[in-house]
Amino acid sequence: MPDFDVGDAQYVPLPRDCLRQYQRNFVRMQSSANETKKLTAVSLLPAKLREFVEENVRICCPSNVQVCDGSDAENQLLVNKLIESGTIVSLPKYKNCFLARSSVKDVARVESRTFICTRNRRDAVNVPRGSALGQMGNWMSLEQADKAIEERFVGCMAGRTMYVIPFSMGPLNSPYSKIGVQLTDSAYVVCSMRIMTRVGTEVLEKLNSDQDSYFVKALHSVGRPASGQVEHPHWPCDPERTLILHKPEFDEIVSYGSGYGGNSLLGKKCFALRIGSTIARREGWLAEHMLILGVTDPKGRKRYVVAAFPSACGKTNMAMMRPSLPGYKVECVGDDIVWMRFDQHGQLRAINPEFGFFGVAPGTSGSTNPVAMETIFENTIFTNVAQTSDGGVYWEGMEDPAPGVTVKDWLGEPWVPGSSTPAAHPNSRFCTPADQCPIIDEHWASPEGVPIDAILFGGRRPQGVPLVYEAFDWKHGVFIGASMKSEATAAAEHKGKAIMHDPFAMRPFFGYNFGHYLQHWLSMANKANVKLPKVYHVNWFRKDKEGKFMWPGYGENSRVLDWILRRVNDEPNTAQVTPIGYVPTKESFNATGLNVDFDGLFSVPKEFWTEEAKEVANFLYEQVDQDLPQDIQDQIKNLIDRLNSYQTN
Ligand code: OXD
Ligand code: MN
């Protein structure tokens, strides 16, 4: 049984002249190629790419095909078109910034409609024990996927332009990078992909020069409701039939029905994480949901760390941190995704495969993330934030608008401070070029990546979890990643604040069976002569008995980085052993000038952890069952044993 019944959704009737229309297009493509001999003429595309385009033109029946060259001129034409159609409005308060309002039914990633499609279910997802429901991804058979695609895509682009977006994940000159081509009928997606990835003719040139012209195939349509009723003409979508499919065996992505974020900007979650993790497994590296930052201490020693937090848990804030500790400097390499591998010297190296930031807007302010506020008011597409009458944007957390300035909420309705509904949607976003970040690291686009010395895992844990602790070794670190949990956020369709398991912050992004993924992480230790980085768990969100946050967070998190650097630099007397890992000694953690409850922040309550260990063990045994690696089973046992003999005072 597939995880989702694609059902007998009505077929969208094939426009009668679809095939004829395709033939006309084809003739036009040929003649335009002859006239211009442009790299972007369909008939001059590398053979495999041309085949991919033509096959989908035949299915989707667009009235036009445009191969994107990534130029400013092309972008300007698309922006004009989007303004004309009412999809975006210009924000004259800033330079080259725009606001889009999506359909209310298309505001976040839809995890329940996201599938990994393989011949064998067990290749794609962990197979839970008994009748338990799988929590880490959904599987669909290849046959079901093909049926679902046919039901949705035939004729779906009639009357629209099909854009062909050649893009690179990672710098074009990096051996770690990969090329993708996205076909889409959304100009908004083209403009956003141009911010988030490296788009253009250089990618086509690379494809042309490569022997096998390898690229990941990504097909996207905002769709067309079967009823024919497009509810929100400025933002066509088909929420009833939205599907996001991945076929790792073919390195293919097919996304239908949504124009929003990770559902439609296919370089990001679909390619860089889901398909990326399957490629990484094949090739022996890691594709992860992590930020990358460089941190320099007062002695001028620089280290790079990566950190995995679930969506909307502050990765962007951390990646752009302004350290409160004097003499420290943080520089940003990336805020969401990392591709990393051990080099020939055994050093773990990472690249940021993205080119922009797709950050959550609400909560971003001069006090929480001043660097982001210096980054995002140029060349940015905002989506679902509120709009001010002086041509700017507004969201929760931002300074109140100046007197006399009025606000329209994300739905375009008048809004005043203190209203019962939010001004901006909780998952509203800014899409902004990374190189505008004033603290972008000088090596952020280095083809060889940056050397990584520490891996952090973290989540929103109101109870029981210390501010920071260190794994005893690599295997224990992998177990800590597997045990990650966090309060649900607005980045996907979940409601409320339930604490959810989110192993490695990858729960929505695994491209293959989580048990195999654990084995892959464990196998890094078997590579010859590798320098395994230290692994940490951090939690900025612990609350006291009154429900108040115990840690100020943001720039003060530099104190945690300071301790991590001491550990990485092998400073003596910096750690004490607890059953869950090493926590800082009081002397080694710089809390000078802060009024915090050190003992409370670092306590490891026996009762809480005994429950936690049981719950994590149940989760892992139930979810991963036969594929749970022996090393992880041993880690569970070791933790329980350590807790049993734990004496608290
Ligand atoms: C994101 C997410 O958009 O994780 O980065 O949802
Ligand atoms: Mn993310």
Side-chain angles (χ1 to χ4, degrees), residues 12 16 77 171 198 204 215 222 243 270 280 288 294 296 319 329 356 365 370 415 419-420 479 520 526 546 561 563 629:
V12 178
R16 237 181 288 132
L77 287 174
R198 293 149 167 101
L204 291 178
F215 62 96
V222 293
L243 269 190
C270 298
E288 302 298 328
T296 309
K329 188 158 92 179
S365 71
W415 184 92
S419 295
S420 57
F479 173 58
H520 181 57
N526 306 334
E546 277 80 51
L561 288 178
W563 182 72

PDB file of all heavy atoms in Angstrom, residues 12 16 77 171 198 204 215 222 243 270 280 288 294 296 319 329 356 365 370 415 419-420 479 520 526 546 561 563 629:
ATOM      1  N   VAL A  12      -7.523  15.851 -15.874  1.00  0.00           N
ATOM      2  CA  VAL A  12      -7.718  17.145 -16.532  1.00  0.00           C
ATOM      3  C   VAL A  12      -7.756  16.830 -18.025  1.00  0.00           C
ATOM      4  O   VAL A  12      -6.834  16.192 -18.532  1.00  0.00           O
ATOM      5  CB  VAL A  12      -6.537  18.092 -16.237  1.00  0.00           C
ATOM      6  CG1 VAL A  12      -6.724  19.409 -16.951  1.00  0.00           C
ATOM      7  CG2 VAL A  12      -6.400  18.284 -14.746  1.00  0.00           C
ATOM      8  N   ARG A  16      -7.640  19.741 -26.743  1.00  0.00           N
ATOM      9  CA  ARG A  16      -7.759  18.988 -27.990  1.00  0.00           C
ATOM     10  C   ARG A  16      -6.589  19.241 -28.944  1.00  0.00           C
ATOM     11  O   ARG A  16      -6.127  18.349 -29.617  1.00  0.00           O
ATOM     12  CB  ARG A  16      -9.099  19.307 -28.673  1.00  0.00           C
ATOM     13  CG  ARG A  16      -9.889  18.018 -28.880  1.00  0.00           C
ATOM     14  CD  ARG A  16     -11.194  18.274 -29.577  1.00  0.00           C
ATOM     15  NE  ARG A  16     -12.140  18.932 -28.712  1.00  0.00           N
ATOM     16  CZ  ARG A  16     -12.857  20.004 -29.069  1.00  0.00           C
ATOM     17  NH1 ARG A  16     -12.720  20.530 -30.256  1.00  0.00           N
ATOM     18  NH2 ARG A  16     -13.700  20.551 -28.236  1.00  0.00           N
ATOM     19  N   LEU A  77      12.158  41.684 -17.103  1.00  0.00           N
ATOM     20  CA  LEU A  77      10.944  41.377 -17.882  1.00  0.00           C
ATOM     21  C   LEU A  77       9.982  40.522 -17.064  1.00  0.00           C
ATOM     22  O   LEU A  77       8.770  40.742 -17.069  1.00  0.00           O
ATOM     23  CB  LEU A  77      11.315  40.641 -19.173  1.00  0.00           C
ATOM     24  CG  LEU A  77      11.975  41.499 -20.251  1.00  0.00           C
ATOM     25  CD1 LEU A  77      12.419  40.630 -21.427  1.00  0.00           C
ATOM     26  CD2 LEU A  77      11.029  42.603 -20.724  1.00  0.00           C
ATOM     27  N   PRO A 171      28.909  26.486  -5.933  1.00  0.00           N
ATOM     28  CA  PRO A 171      29.653  27.273  -6.920  1.00  0.00           C
ATOM     29  C   PRO A 171      29.950  26.430  -8.154  1.00  0.00           C
ATOM     30  O   PRO A 171      30.306  25.258  -8.026  1.00  0.00           O
ATOM     31  CB  PRO A 171      30.951  27.619  -6.194  1.00  0.00           C
ATOM     32  CG  PRO A 171      30.718  27.321  -4.743  1.00  0.00           C
ATOM     33  CD  PRO A 171      29.613  26.330  -4.656  1.00  0.00           C
ATOM     34  N   ARG A 198      22.346  29.441  -8.350  1.00  0.00           N
ATOM     35  CA  ARG A 198      23.091  30.090  -9.431  1.00  0.00           C
ATOM     36  C   ARG A 198      22.444  29.669 -10.748  1.00  0.00           C
ATOM     37  O   ARG A 198      22.544  28.510 -11.149  1.00  0.00           O
ATOM     38  CB  ARG A 198      24.553  29.661  -9.379  1.00  0.00           C
ATOM     39  CG  ARG A 198      25.279  30.190  -8.141  1.00  0.00           C
ATOM     40  CD  ARG A 198      26.352  29.247  -7.693  1.00  0.00           C
ATOM     41  NE  ARG A 198      27.244  29.858  -6.707  1.00  0.00           N
ATOM     42  CZ  ARG A 198      27.162  29.644  -5.390  1.00  0.00           C
ATOM     43  NH1 ARG A 198      26.239  28.850  -4.880  1.00  0.00           N
ATOM     44  NH2 ARG A 198      28.020  30.220  -4.565  1.00  0.00           N
ATOM     45  N   LEU A 204      24.445  26.197 -18.468  1.00  0.00           N
ATOM     46  CA  LEU A 204      24.268  25.494 -19.751  1.00  0.00           C
ATOM     47  C   LEU A 204      25.624  25.181 -20.371  1.00  0.00           C
ATOM     48  O   LEU A 204      25.830  24.096 -20.918  1.00  0.00           O
ATOM     49  CB  LEU A 204      23.447  26.354 -20.712  1.00  0.00           C
ATOM     50  CG  LEU A 204      21.974  26.539 -20.354  1.00  0.00           C
ATOM     51  CD1 LEU A 204      21.293  27.444 -21.370  1.00  0.00           C
ATOM     52  CD2 LEU A 204      21.257  25.186 -20.289  1.00  0.00           C
ATOM     53  N   PHE A 215      22.369  16.089 -14.933  1.00  0.00           N
ATOM     54  CA  PHE A 215      21.643  17.086 -14.140  1.00  0.00           C
ATOM     55  C   PHE A 215      20.447  16.422 -13.470  1.00  0.00           C
ATOM     56  O   PHE A 215      19.939  15.402 -13.938  1.00  0.00           O
ATOM     57  CB  PHE A 215      21.178  18.275 -15.013  1.00  0.00           C
ATOM     58  CG  PHE A 215      20.209  17.907 -16.104  1.00  0.00           C
ATOM     59  CD1 PHE A 215      18.831  18.033 -15.919  1.00  0.00           C
ATOM     60  CD2 PHE A 215      20.667  17.427 -17.330  1.00  0.00           C
ATOM     61  CE1 PHE A 215      17.936  17.690 -16.921  1.00  0.00           C
ATOM     62  CE2 PHE A 215      19.775  17.087 -18.340  1.00  0.00           C
ATOM     63  CZ  PHE A 215      18.407  17.210 -18.144  1.00  0.00           C
ATOM     64  N   VAL A 222       2.399  25.041 -10.966  1.00  0.00           N
ATOM     65  CA  VAL A 222       1.503  25.508  -9.892  1.00  0.00           C
ATOM     66  C   VAL A 222       0.144  24.835 -10.018  1.00  0.00           C
ATOM     67  O   VAL A 222      -0.660  24.857  -9.097  1.00  0.00           O
ATOM     68  CB  VAL A 222       1.348  27.047  -9.896  1.00  0.00           C
ATOM     69  CG1 VAL A 222       2.661  27.715  -9.523  1.00  0.00           C
ATOM     70  CG2 VAL A 222       0.831  27.557 -11.223  1.00  0.00           C
ATOM     71  N   LEU A 243       1.106  17.697  -4.838  1.00  0.00           N
ATOM     72  CA  LEU A 243       1.962  16.524  -4.621  1.00  0.00           C
ATOM     73  C   LEU A 243       3.406  16.909  -4.905  1.00  0.00           C
ATOM     74  O   LEU A 243       3.674  17.612  -5.889  1.00  0.00           O
ATOM     75  CB  LEU A 243       1.607  15.410  -5.608  1.00  0.00           C
ATOM     76  CG  LEU A 243       0.568  14.357  -5.249  1.00  0.00           C
ATOM     77  CD1 LEU A 243       0.604  13.263  -6.303  1.00  0.00           C
ATOM     78  CD2 LEU A 243       0.777  13.771  -3.859  1.00  0.00           C
ATOM     79  N   CYS A 270      13.880  19.825  -1.994  1.00  0.00           N
ATOM     80  CA  CYS A 270      13.708  18.641  -2.845  1.00  0.00           C
ATOM     81  C   CYS A 270      15.047  18.132  -3.372  1.00  0.00           C
ATOM     82  O   CYS A 270      15.339  16.943  -3.290  1.00  0.00           O
ATOM     83  CB  CYS A 270      12.778  18.970  -4.011  1.00  0.00           C
ATOM     84  SG  CYS A 270      11.124  19.453  -3.492  1.00  0.00           S
ATOM     85  N   ALA A 280      24.300  11.753  -1.877  1.00  0.00           N
ATOM     86  CA  ALA A 280      25.383  11.775  -0.879  1.00  0.00           C
ATOM     87  C   ALA A 280      25.667  10.362  -0.359  1.00  0.00           C
ATOM     88  O   ALA A 280      26.815   9.975  -0.173  1.00  0.00           O
ATOM     89  CB  ALA A 280      24.998  12.697   0.271  1.00  0.00           C
ATOM     90  N   GLU A 288      22.838  17.860   4.455  1.00  0.00           N
ATOM     91  CA  GLU A 288      22.172  18.056   5.745  1.00  0.00           C
ATOM     92  C   GLU A 288      21.479  19.409   5.870  1.00  0.00           C
ATOM     93  O   GLU A 288      21.845  20.372   5.201  1.00  0.00           O
ATOM     94  CB  GLU A 288      23.217  17.927   6.868  1.00  0.00           C
ATOM     95  CG  GLU A 288      23.937  16.595   6.883  1.00  0.00           C
ATOM     96  CD  GLU A 288      23.021  15.395   7.114  1.00  0.00           C
ATOM     97  OE1 GLU A 288      22.015  15.535   7.828  1.00  0.00           O
ATOM     98  OE2 GLU A 288      23.297  14.305   6.550  1.00  0.00           O
ATOM     99  N   GLY A 294      31.463  30.707  10.461  1.00  0.00           N
ATOM    100  CA  GLY A 294      32.870  30.793  10.860  1.00  0.00           C
ATOM    101  C   GLY A 294      32.925  31.611  12.132  1.00  0.00           C
ATOM    102  O   GLY A 294      32.250  32.634  12.236  1.00  0.00           O
ATOM    103  N   THR A 296      35.617  33.436  14.914  1.00  0.00           N
ATOM    104  CA  THR A 296      37.002  33.788  15.210  1.00  0.00           C
ATOM    105  C   THR A 296      37.071  34.240  16.661  1.00  0.00           C
ATOM    106  O   THR A 296      36.255  35.055  17.088  1.00  0.00           O
ATOM    107  CB  THR A 296      37.464  34.941  14.280  1.00  0.00           C
ATOM    108  OG1 THR A 296      37.161  34.565  12.934  1.00  0.00           O
ATOM    109  CG2 THR A 296      38.954  35.210  14.403  1.00  0.00           C
ATOM    110  N   ALA A 319      23.318  31.844  12.262  1.00  0.00           N
ATOM    111  CA  ALA A 319      24.294  31.986  11.170  1.00  0.00           C
ATOM    112  C   ALA A 319      24.741  33.437  11.015  1.00  0.00           C
ATOM    113  O   ALA A 319      25.805  33.710  10.472  1.00  0.00           O
ATOM    114  CB  ALA A 319      23.695  31.471   9.865  1.00  0.00           C
ATOM    115  N   LYS A 329      34.136  37.119  16.573  1.00  0.00           N
ATOM    116  CA  LYS A 329      33.545  37.501  15.288  1.00  0.00           C
ATOM    117  C   LYS A 329      32.871  36.267  14.692  1.00  0.00           C
ATOM    118  O   LYS A 329      33.456  35.182  14.692  1.00  0.00           O
ATOM    119  CB  LYS A 329      34.667  37.974  14.359  1.00  0.00           C
ATOM    120  CG  LYS A 329      34.159  38.572  13.063  1.00  0.00           C
ATOM    121  CD  LYS A 329      35.205  39.479  12.438  1.00  0.00           C
ATOM    122  CE  LYS A 329      36.055  38.669  11.475  1.00  0.00           C
ATOM    123  NZ  LYS A 329      37.075  39.381  10.772  1.00  0.00           N
ATOM    124  N   GLY A 356      21.176  32.080  -1.782  1.00  0.00           N
ATOM    125  CA  GLY A 356      20.379  33.106  -1.109  1.00  0.00           C
ATOM    126  C   GLY A 356      19.843  32.592   0.206  1.00  0.00           C
ATOM    127  O   GLY A 356      20.111  31.461   0.613  1.00  0.00           O
ATOM    128  N   SER A 365      14.379  41.028  13.610  1.00  0.00           N
ATOM    129  CA  SER A 365      14.333  42.458  13.938  1.00  0.00           C
ATOM    130  C   SER A 365      15.725  42.959  14.261  1.00  0.00           C
ATOM    131  O   SER A 365      16.677  42.172  14.329  1.00  0.00           O
ATOM    132  CB  SER A 365      13.435  42.676  15.157  1.00  0.00           C
ATOM    133  OG  SER A 365      14.091  42.166  16.310  1.00  0.00           O
ATOM    134  N   PRO A 370      20.115  41.756  13.722  1.00  0.00           N
ATOM    135  CA  PRO A 370      20.418  43.024  13.038  1.00  0.00           C
ATOM    136  C   PRO A 370      21.089  42.808  11.679  1.00  0.00           C
ATOM    137  O   PRO A 370      20.904  43.595  10.756  1.00  0.00           O
ATOM    138  CB  PRO A 370      21.354  43.752  14.010  1.00  0.00           C
ATOM    139  CG  PRO A 370      21.796  42.730  15.010  1.00  0.00           C
ATOM    140  CD  PRO A 370      20.762  41.655  15.038  1.00  0.00           C
ATOM    141  N   TRP A 415      -4.898  46.610   8.933  1.00  0.00           N
ATOM    142  CA  TRP A 415      -4.456  45.972  10.187  1.00  0.00           C
ATOM    143  C   TRP A 415      -3.920  47.052  11.118  1.00  0.00           C
ATOM    144  O   TRP A 415      -3.258  47.983  10.670  1.00  0.00           O
ATOM    145  CB  TRP A 415      -3.354  44.972   9.858  1.00  0.00           C
ATOM    146  CG  TRP A 415      -2.869  44.178  11.038  1.00  0.00           C
ATOM    147  CD1 TRP A 415      -3.317  42.976  11.470  1.00  0.00           C
ATOM    148  CD2 TRP A 415      -1.804  44.545  11.935  1.00  0.00           C
ATOM    149  NE1 TRP A 415      -2.619  42.560  12.572  1.00  0.00           N
ATOM    150  CE2 TRP A 415      -1.675  43.514  12.888  1.00  0.00           C
ATOM    151  CE3 TRP A 415      -0.948  45.654  12.038  1.00  0.00           C
ATOM    152  CZ2 TRP A 415      -0.744  43.534  13.916  1.00  0.00           C
ATOM    153  CZ3 TRP A 415      -0.009  45.687  13.068  1.00  0.00           C
ATOM    154  CH2 TRP A 415       0.084  44.627  13.995  1.00  0.00           C
ATOM    155  N   SER A 419      -4.216  44.043  16.936  1.00  0.00           N
ATOM    156  CA  SER A 419      -5.283  43.225  16.331  1.00  0.00           C
ATOM    157  C   SER A 419      -5.166  41.778  16.804  1.00  0.00           C
ATOM    158  O   SER A 419      -4.072  41.323  17.157  1.00  0.00           O
ATOM    159  CB  SER A 419      -5.166  43.214  14.802  1.00  0.00           C
ATOM    160  OG  SER A 419      -5.373  44.478  14.291  1.00  0.00           O
ATOM    161  N   SER A 420      -6.280  41.064  16.720  1.00  0.00           N
ATOM    162  CA  SER A 420      -6.246  39.674  17.204  1.00  0.00           C
ATOM    163  C   SER A 420      -5.606  38.740  16.176  1.00  0.00           C
ATOM    164  O   SER A 420      -5.240  37.611  16.493  1.00  0.00           O
ATOM    165  CB  SER A 420      -7.664  39.212  17.521  1.00  0.00           C
ATOM    166  OG  SER A 420      -8.452  39.358  16.360  1.00  0.00           O
ATOM    167  N   PHE A 479      23.913   9.162  17.710  1.00  0.00           N
ATOM    168  CA  PHE A 479      22.727   8.858  18.532  1.00  0.00           C
ATOM    169  C   PHE A 479      22.040  10.152  18.987  1.00  0.00           C
ATOM    170  O   PHE A 479      20.800  10.250  18.974  1.00  0.00           O
ATOM    171  CB  PHE A 479      23.157   8.005  19.736  1.00  0.00           C
ATOM    172  CG  PHE A 479      22.061   7.773  20.731  1.00  0.00           C
ATOM    173  CD1 PHE A 479      20.861   7.165  20.351  1.00  0.00           C
ATOM    174  CD2 PHE A 479      22.212   8.158  22.063  1.00  0.00           C
ATOM    175  CE1 PHE A 479      19.842   6.953  21.278  1.00  0.00           C
ATOM    176  CE2 PHE A 479      21.198   7.947  22.985  1.00  0.00           C
ATOM    177  CZ  PHE A 479      20.013   7.354  22.597  1.00  0.00           C
ATOM    178  N   HIS A 520      24.684   5.265   7.413  1.00  0.00           N
ATOM    179  CA  HIS A 520      25.572   6.080   6.577  1.00  0.00           C
ATOM    180  C   HIS A 520      26.385   7.042   7.457  1.00  0.00           C
ATOM    181  O   HIS A 520      27.598   7.177   7.286  1.00  0.00           O
ATOM    182  CB  HIS A 520      24.735   6.831   5.542  1.00  0.00           C
ATOM    183  CG  HIS A 520      25.552   7.670   4.615  1.00  0.00           C
ATOM    184  ND1 HIS A 520      26.563   7.161   3.846  1.00  0.00           N
ATOM    185  CD2 HIS A 520      25.512   9.001   4.338  1.00  0.00           C
ATOM    186  CE1 HIS A 520      27.122   8.129   3.138  1.00  0.00           C
ATOM    187  NE2 HIS A 520      26.503   9.262   3.426  1.00  0.00           N
ATOM    188  N   ASN A 526      34.344   4.840   9.656  1.00  0.00           N
ATOM    189  CA  ASN A 526      35.127   3.738   9.080  1.00  0.00           C
ATOM    190  C   ASN A 526      36.044   4.196   7.961  1.00  0.00           C
ATOM    191  O   ASN A 526      36.814   3.414   7.420  1.00  0.00           O
ATOM    192  CB  ASN A 526      34.200   2.655   8.513  1.00  0.00           C
ATOM    193  CG  ASN A 526      33.210   2.183   9.551  1.00  0.00           C
ATOM    194  OD1 ASN A 526      33.498   2.274  10.739  1.00  0.00           O
ATOM    195  ND2 ASN A 526      32.052   1.714   9.120  1.00  0.00           N
ATOM    196  N   GLU A 546       8.559  29.089  36.162  1.00  0.00           N
ATOM    197  CA  GLU A 546       7.536  30.110  35.834  1.00  0.00           C
ATOM    198  C   GLU A 546       7.254  30.171  34.338  1.00  0.00           C
ATOM    199  O   GLU A 546       6.464  30.998  33.886  1.00  0.00           O
ATOM    200  CB  GLU A 546       7.998  31.507  36.287  1.00  0.00           C
ATOM    201  CG  GLU A 546       7.743  31.829  37.746  1.00  0.00           C
ATOM    202  CD  GLU A 546       8.803  31.214  38.648  1.00  0.00           C
ATOM    203  OE1 GLU A 546       9.995  31.411  38.359  1.00  0.00           O
ATOM    204  OE2 GLU A 546       8.436  30.495  39.596  1.00  0.00           O
ATOM    205  N   LEU A 561      29.450  29.087  21.847  1.00  0.00           N
ATOM    206  CA  LEU A 561      30.503  28.866  20.839  1.00  0.00           C
ATOM    207  C   LEU A 561      31.883  28.960  21.488  1.00  0.00           C
ATOM    208  O   LEU A 561      32.783  28.187  21.170  1.00  0.00           O
ATOM    209  CB  LEU A 561      30.383  29.892  19.706  1.00  0.00           C
ATOM    210  CG  LEU A 561      29.203  29.699  18.747  1.00  0.00           C
ATOM    211  CD1 LEU A 561      29.180  30.814  17.697  1.00  0.00           C
ATOM    212  CD2 LEU A 561      29.274  28.332  18.051  1.00  0.00           C
ATOM    213  N   TRP A 563      32.709  28.146  24.484  1.00  0.00           N
ATOM    214  CA  TRP A 563      33.008  26.881  25.191  1.00  0.00           C
ATOM    215  C   TRP A 563      33.341  25.770  24.185  1.00  0.00           C
ATOM    216  O   TRP A 563      34.283  24.998  24.374  1.00  0.00           O
ATOM    217  CB  TRP A 563      31.815  26.477  26.081  1.00  0.00           C
ATOM    218  CG  TRP A 563      32.116  25.220  26.839  1.00  0.00           C
ATOM    219  CD1 TRP A 563      32.975  25.092  27.891  1.00  0.00           C
ATOM    220  CD2 TRP A 563      31.598  23.907  26.572  1.00  0.00           C
ATOM    221  NE1 TRP A 563      33.010  23.781  28.311  1.00  0.00           N
ATOM    222  CE2 TRP A 563      32.174  23.024  27.522  1.00  0.00           C
ATOM    223  CE3 TRP A 563      30.703  23.385  25.639  1.00  0.00           C
ATOM    224  CZ2 TRP A 563      31.887  21.660  27.551  1.00  0.00           C
ATOM    225  CZ3 TRP A 563      30.411  22.031  25.683  1.00  0.00           C
ATOM    226  CH2 TRP A 563      31.010  21.176  26.629  1.00  0.00           C
ATOM    227  N   PRO A 629      20.438   0.428  13.370  1.00  0.00           N
ATOM    228  CA  PRO A 629      21.794  -0.138  13.445  1.00  0.00           C
ATOM    229  C   PRO A 629      22.141  -0.597  14.861  1.00  0.00           C
ATOM    230  O   PRO A 629      21.714   0.018  15.837  1.00  0.00           O
ATOM    231  CB  PRO A 629      22.686   1.041  13.029  1.00  0.00           C
ATOM    232  CG  PRO A 629      21.802   1.980  12.295  1.00  0.00           C
ATOM    233  CD  PRO A 629      20.432   1.817  12.874  1.00  0.00           C
TER     234      PRO A 629
END
